[in-house]
Amino acid sequence: MKVAVADTIIEVGGIKIGPSLTEQQAEKLYKLGQEAVVFVLTTQAKMIAQRIADSAQSPAAPSSAKPLYKKENKSKNKRGKKIGAKKGHVGSRRPKPVHIDRRQEHSLEICPDCGNQNLSRRSRKRTRIIIDIPEGFNVETVEHTIDRRWCPECKKIVEPKVPDALDKCTFGNRILAFSSWLHYGLGSTLSQIVETFNYHLQMPISEGGLVEMWHRLAKILTPWYEQLKKDALSSAVLHGDETGWRVNGRTHWLWCFGNSDVTYYMIDRSRGSPALNEFFQEFFDGVLITDFWAAYNTVCCADRQMCLVHLLGELKKVAMYKDSSGDWAAFSKKLKRLVHDAVRIWKRREQFGQERYARRRKRIELRLRELIETEWDNSQANRLRKRLDRYEDYLFTFLDKPYVPFDNNHAERSIRPAVIMRKNSYANRSDKGARTQSTLMSIFRTLKQRNANPISTVAQALRQYIQTGNIPPLPQKENMAPE
C-alpha cells in the first residue's frame, strides 16, 4: 500500500483523499483494510486541528471578509491621491512664542566625538525654543480669611463675597469650568476626568462631586442657553437635524439647530412636531435647511431649503439595496444631472450676467417640472418623483439666495460631536442630566464658534455671578461674517 501526504491531500493506494473524493473511491479505500482507514482519519484529524489553531492566532474577521493581515497596505486614499501636500506647497509651522519665560545656555568643553579639550570658541550661536510643562505642575490651594462684621441697621452679621468659588463649594471656578469643558466640550468620560485630576493634578475628586457641580453650573448659565435659542431664531439661515439619544434607558432625541454663529441642542422625548413646536414657538422669519424628515413640514417659516446631498444619497441607497430595475437608471441619471447643474451654476453665479443666470435658473425649473410630470414604471423612481413634487418650491432656494447653502452639512458636523459623546458616555441617566447636557454642550459649542476661550469665559462669568448675582452677556463672535 503506497501512502503520500501533501498539504491538503492524502494519497493512499492511488486514491486521493481530498475535497473531490467520490463514493466509489471511498468504497475502494474501505476495501484496502482497517489500517488504511484509520491512517486516513487520524491524518485528517491532525490537519483540522492545525487549521483551527492557525485561525485562532489570526485576527478575527467575518466569513465573507478578507482578513486584515492579508490585505495590501495602500499608501493612497480612495481617490488615488498621494497623502500630504502637493509639490511646491508652502509649508506651515508653529509660530514662535511671543513671550519667553526662561532662558538657558548650553556649552561644551570637550568634543563629544574625539574627546579633544582644545575647542576654539566661535561667535556663532543658535537658539532652540522648547515648550513644556514644568515639573511640579499642581493645583493651588488657597486659604481665605473672611472678616465678618455686625451691621446695626440690618441687624445681622455681614461678610464679603469670595468670588473665586461658588458658595459651599471647595473647588474654584477654573476647576469647575475646566472639568465641564472636558466633559461637555470635548466629550471626555467622567472616569477619564476623575483620573486626570487624581493622577496628573494630584487632586482627589469624586464622580458624584463633579456631576453636582455641573448641575449647578448649568443652572447658573441658563440665561446664556436661553439667549442661544433667541439668537438661533433671529438668524437669517438655520440648519436643523436630529439623532437618537437615551435618557434613563428610554429613547429620546437630540435636536440640533444652528449656523456659523450659534449651536443650540435640545433633548426631547419626541421626534415629531411636539419638539419642533417647543422650539419654533413663533413664526421663523428665515430660511430653514433640513433633510426630508416629514416633521419639519409643521414649522412655519419664511422659506426652506431641502438638503440636496440627502437626495443624492437616496439615489445611491436605492441603487445598492433596493429595486433598481426598469427605468430607474434613466430617472437617477436625469435627477443627478439636474442637481449637479444647479450646483454648478450656483458656484459660477458671479461669472454669469444677470440675464444669463436668470435663463439658466428658469431652465432648471423646467427640467424639474418635466422630471415630476413623467410617469415612471419603477416603484422607487415613482416614490422619489412624489417627493420632488411635494418639495418642488424648496429644492433650489439656494439659487435665488446666494447666502443659503444647498446642503445640510453644517447640522451634520454640529451633531457629530454629540454622537461621539453618546458613544462614550451612553447618554444621560436622568431628565436633570439631559437638561445639563443640552445646556452646557450648547454653550461650549457656541463659545468655540465665537472664538472665545471656554475656560476663561465661564470662570469670569462665575466670578461676576458670585459678586453681583448676574452673569455677563454671552460673548459675540468677532468679525462675524454675514449669513
Side-chain angles (χ1 to χ4, degrees), residues 110-128:
I110 301 176
C111 178
D113 296 331
C114 65
N116 182 18
Q117 299 181 3
N118 298 323
L119 298 180
S120 60
R121 294 185 177 275
R122 297 275 182 166
S123 59
R124 290 184 178 180
K125 291 184 178 182
R126 75 180 185 93
T127 59
R128 179 185 176 188

Side-chain angles (χ1 to χ4, degrees), residues 147-412:
D147 186 16
R148 309 183 72 189
R149 300 192 179 187
W150 174 262
C151 177
E153 294 188 5
C154 298
K155 305 298 182 181
K156 65 178 181 179
I157 296 176
V158 294
E159 62 182 36
K161 298 278 188 182
V162 180
D164 296 334
L166 295 174
D167 186 28
K168 298 180 181 180
C169 186
T170 306
F171 302 116
N173 297 332
R174 294 189 64 83
I175 289 181
L176 177 54
F178 177 61
S179 62
S180 59
W181 173 69
L182 288 177
H183 187 63
Y184 299 102
L186 299 183
S188 301
T189 62
L190 189 58
S191 60
Q192 291 173 343
I193 298 173
V194 170
E195 290 183 3
T196 299
F197 279 94
N198 289 346
Y199 296 106
H200 296 281
L201 299 179
Q202 298 298 316
M203 189 190 69
I205 194 170
S206 64
E207 295 184 358
L210 278 177
V211 172
E212 289 301 321
M213 289 168 55
W214 294 341
H215 288 330
R216 292 185 64 182
L217 178 62
K219 185 176 181 180
I220 294 172
L221 299 182
T222 298
W224 279 6
Y225 183 62
E226 296 174 351
Q227 182 62 42
L228 293 180
K229 181 178 180 179
K230 295 179 181 178
D231 293 345
L233 293 174
S234 62
S235 58
V237 176
L238 190 64
H239 297 258
D241 199 7
E242 79 288 334
T243 186
W245 199 263
R246 301 286 285 182
V247 178
N248 196 22
R250 300 180 63 185
T251 301
H252 285 61
W253 298 93
L254 174 72
W255 294 83
C256 176
F257 302 98
N259 48 45
S260 60
D261 180 51
V262 61
T263 299
Y264 183 87
Y265 296 104
M266 180 182 68
I267 299 176
D268 196 272
R269 187 72 175 88
S270 171
R271 195 194 177 192
S273 57
L276 290 170
N277 293 335
E278 181 180 349
F279 180 75
F280 295 98
Q281 297 180 359
E282 297 179 357
F283 180 80
F284 176 59
D285 190 17
V287 181
L288 180 63
I289 305 176
T290 65
D291 54 19
F292 293 91
W293 176 236
Y296 292 107
N297 297 334
T298 60
V299 179
C300 297
C301 55
D303 208 343
R304 300 179 63 186
Q305 169 63 53
M306 311 309 297
C307 180
L308 298 185
V309 175
H310 278 79
L311 187 60
L312 295 177
E314 187 73 18
L315 298 179
K316 186 177 180 180
K317 185 188 299 183
V318 171
M320 293 179 62
Y321 305 111
K322 297 183 180 181
D323 181 18
S324 58
S325 60
D327 53 6
W328 166 257
F331 172 82
S332 177
K333 185 177 181 179
K334 285 188 176 183
L335 184 54
K336 284 181 181 179
R337 284 186 175 181
L338 177 61
V339 173
H340 291 160
D341 289 346
V343 175
R344 188 179 299 111
I345 68 171
W346 177 72
K347 292 181 178 180
R348 300 174 58 186
R349 182 186 186 95
E350 301 296 333
Q351 302 178 11
F352 297 131
Q354 186 174 1
E355 295 183 0
R356 185 182 178 188
Y357 181 82
R359 291 196 301 269
R360 295 288 184 95
R361 173 71 176 89
K362 186 64 176 178
R363 179 57 182 165
I364 292 293
E365 292 182 359
L366 295 177
R367 290 169 60 184
L368 176 61
R369 175 41 53 183
E370 180 182 358
L371 193 64
I372 294 174
E373 292 179 351
T374 303
E375 292 293 335
W376 304 93
D377 298 333
N378 182 272
S379 59
Q380 298 297 326
N382 195 40
R383 175 179 64 86
L384 291 180
R385 181 191 67 82
K386 294 179 180 179
R387 176 182 296 183
L388 297 178
D389 188 22
R390 186 183 306 115
Y391 299 104
E392 179 181 5
D393 297 334
Y394 307 128
L395 293 175
F396 301 117
T397 306
F398 69 99
L399 294 178
D400 301 325
K401 301 178 179 180
Y403 58 89
V404 176
F406 60 87
D407 55 42
N408 198 28
N409 289 347
H410 180 87
E412 300 285 345

